[in-house]
Amino acid sequence: MHWPTTKLSLKHFILKQQVFDLYRYAIRASRVIPNPLARRETIAWIRGEIEINRHLTNVHIIEDKIKIIHREIRQILPSAPR
């Protein structure tokens, strides 16, 4: 997610950390994929989903996007850590 250079609220900083945590979660979850190429593609897809939403600044929309991406990771990687 893109964070503008203007003044950000505390909630924005918390959400930024949640996005980083989500990305790390996705990398850990992808370890169950045995094929290295498929693993790289999965990580690239997740990163792409995060990059697409980089411009968002509305706190509620960012929270929803985090929930959606987290749910998608659990769906495509059912053995992902919860």
Side-chain angles (χ1 to χ4, degrees):
M1 312 257 161
H2 182 270
W3 307 100
T5 56
T6 59
K7 186 176 179 182
L8 298 177
S9 68
L10 175 61
K11 185 66 176 176
H12 282 99
F13 285 104
I14 292 169
L15 289 172
K16 184 177 180 180
Q17 186 59 46
Q18 287 179 358
V19 170
F20 290 140
D21 291 343
L22 177 65
Y23 186 67
R24 284 192 296 271
Y25 169 81
I27 291 172
R28 284 191 307 272
S30 71
R31 291 181 185 158
V32 299
I33 302 173
N35 184 330
L37 179 60
R39 186 178 315 121
R40 281 193 301 272
E41 289 175 350
T42 302
I43 292 171
W45 168 75
I46 293 166
R47 183 178 179 111
E49 288 294 312
I50 292 171
E51 290 291 328
I52 287 171
N53 298 304
R54 183 178 196 115
H55 68 283
L56 298 176
T57 55
N58 183 308
V59 171
H60 300 293
I61 294 174
I62 295 170
E63 288 173 333
D64 287 342
K65 295 291 184 176
I66 289 172
K67 290 175 188 174
I68 290 168
I69 295 172
H70 197 273
R71 184 173 48 240
E72 288 176 351
I73 292 169
R74 285 196 320 261
Q75 287 176 348
I76 63 171
L77 299 168
S79 62
R82 302 258 176 220

